[in-house]
Amino acid sequence: MDIVNINELIGNIELFVNKICGKIKKSDIKELRILKTKCFGKNGIITNFSKSLPQYNVSDRKKFGLQLNKAKKILEDAIVKRIEKSKSVYRDSEPHHEKLSYSKDFCFPFPKGSLHPIIQTIQDIIAIFKSLGFAVVDGPELETDWYNFEALNIPEDHPSRDVQDTFYLNENGIKKLLRTHTSPGQIHIMEKQLPPIKIIVPGRVYRNETSDASHSSIFYQIEGLEISENITFMDLKAVLVEFINRFFMSELNLRFRPSYFQFTEPSAEVDIQCNFCKGKGCKICKNLGWMEVLGCGMVHPNVLKSVNYDFQKYIGYAFGIGVERITMLKHNINDIRLFYENDLRFLKQF
Ligand code: PHE
């Protein structure tokens, strides 16, 4: 900057400040950012004025410095005031935020998000069971040993606990654990009311597992429970066949394969015929021709006893659906980790 008469320079600063303040008042937030750089940026006018300070003698420098500080304060105040005003505009009248460009942001087609596939599956499953007369209830994720194991006929020394290792914590001196399945939801509801009960319990469950293509330490299940006086395995079968056909939107071949759960007797797992090889055996179904969809069975009398139900009078069935698993079967997804990575290329397909 050329050395100029100090009074002329001070006059220039005043002129500059007045001009910029007028602009600041009228600017939008984007323009404000540009004006701020114009004043205080690396090559901004105020910055350059300051840089030229050493060229003047002591008394001029003093005058100039004072004027410069005054200018800085006026400009900073004007900028702060403008920002405050834009915030209140945003608060008071929602859609008028200055960042929105009406021509660009409100034009068709609207960019639309979609529900995560897991949420979609949970909603679909809930809709199907609601139409079959089931109520939807919630259960805690942090459980005591009683609800997660003992009341479900899994005593402390039972080997079946090994396959459901979980995370233990201490809440106010009480030993708690992250539930390994939604089955404790059965106990909570039975403790609260007498039959008839017809519920599903959707929720997140936890296991101490190393994650790989088919395992995750956090996943979702939907528990089902019906208790009444004259329930048979046929009722369970009818409900599950109806559910599977509606969920997969086609009449699939299924089979009930005998299985084992501590809290049901007899127990079964339901398999659907592999949709890819039509039962011949392929890589996806590990050459079995069938793929496991869910676990189920008739509620064990010991479970009814643990909630003080008359096990001579009441009988029921329960089932547990793995949400990720059934979604993977429906959409031919081969790695459970895809659900949690939030890769838009994956999510946009649903
Ligand atoms: N809780 C079982 C599991 O997590 C599933 C199940 C629920 C089986 C209800 C039978 C009845 O593997």
Side-chain angles (χ1 to χ4, degrees), residues 163-194:
V163 289
Q164 295 202 1
D165 186 20
T166 185
F167 305 94
Y168 290 86
L169 349 93
N170 194 312
E171 197 187 46
N172 304 329
I174 302 168
K175 196 175 145 198
K176 296 248 172 133
L177 53 89
L178 291 174
R179 65 175 174 194
T180 58
H181 48 178
T182 41
S183 302
Q186 296 182 28
I187 307 299
H188 285 289
I189 193 83
M190 288 192 282
E191 274 182 350
K192 281 193 199 101
Q193 68 179 76
L194 278 172

Side-chain angles (χ1 to χ4, degrees), residues 164 180-181 183 186 207 221 223 261 263-264 295-297 318-320:
Q164 295 202 1
T180 58
H181 48 178
S183 302
Q186 296 182 28
R207 302 227 180 139
Q221 283 190 339
E223 192 78 10
F261 299 104
F263 33 91
T264 48
C296 63
F319 55 85

Side-chain angles (χ1 to χ4, degrees), residues 317-337:
Y317 61 77
F319 55 85
I321 306 166
V323 174
E324 280 82 350
R325 183 169 185 84
I326 207 166
T327 313
M328 289 166 81
L329 293 176
K330 187 171 180 176
H331 299 293
N332 187 16
I333 297 163
N334 58 9
D335 194 325
I336 195 169
R337 291 168 292 198

Side-chain angles (χ1 to χ4, degrees), residues 38-51:
K38 208 169 165 185
C39 300
F40 301 109
K42 234 180 172 178
N43 236 334
I45 293 180
I46 297 291
T47 320
N48 280 342
F49 274 138
S50 309
K51 276 188 206 157

Side-chain angles (χ1 to χ4, degrees), residues 33-168:
R33 219 174 285 139
I34 298 169
L35 287 176
K36 217 171 147 186
T37 320
K38 208 169 165 185
C39 300
F40 301 109
K42 234 180 172 178
N43 236 334
I45 293 180
I46 297 291
T47 320
N48 280 342
F49 274 138
S50 309
K51 276 188 206 157
S52 70
L53 210 62
Q55 298 168 4
Y56 296 94
N57 65 36
V58 179
S59 79
D60 282 355
R61 227 187 283 166
K62 213 171 163 188
K63 259 195 200 168
F64 184 28
L66 274 174
Q67 193 61 29
L68 212 53
N69 282 343
K70 210 169 121 191
K72 266 191 207 165
K73 175 133 187 24
I74 295 172
L75 289 171
E76 277 166 4
D77 285 351
I79 290 171
V80 168
K81 225 166 148 184
R82 181 68 199 96
I83 292 173
E84 284 303 314
K85 199 174 151 207
S86 90
K87 278 187 194 158
S88 70
V89 168
Y90 180 47
R91 256 182 259 122
D92 298 345
S93 49
E94 270 169 53
H96 297 130
H97 187 29
E98 286 151 307
K99 266 192 184 161
L100 293 177
S101 142
Y102 290 94
S103 51
K104 192 165 139 272
D105 296 331
F106 290 120
C107 65
F108 290 101
F110 292 119
K112 256 207 306 201
S114 58
L115 292 176
H116 190 280
I118 294 297
I119 303 292
Q120 283 183 36
T121 298
I122 293 175
Q123 289 189 350
D124 289 350
I125 296 177
I126 288 177
I128 296 170
F129 281 108
K130 266 187 164 178
S131 79
L132 296 173
F134 286 78
V136 184
V137 300
D138 212 7
E141 289 181 18
L142 200 54
E143 283 290 9
T144 57
D145 191 89
W146 166 257
Y147 286 101
N148 198 79
F149 295 122
E150 285 280 341
L152 288 161
N153 195 33
I154 313 175
E156 199 171 354
D157 54 0
H158 200 276
S160 74
R161 282 200 182 203
D162 290 350
V163 289
Q164 295 202 1
D165 186 20
T166 185
F167 305 94
Y168 290 86

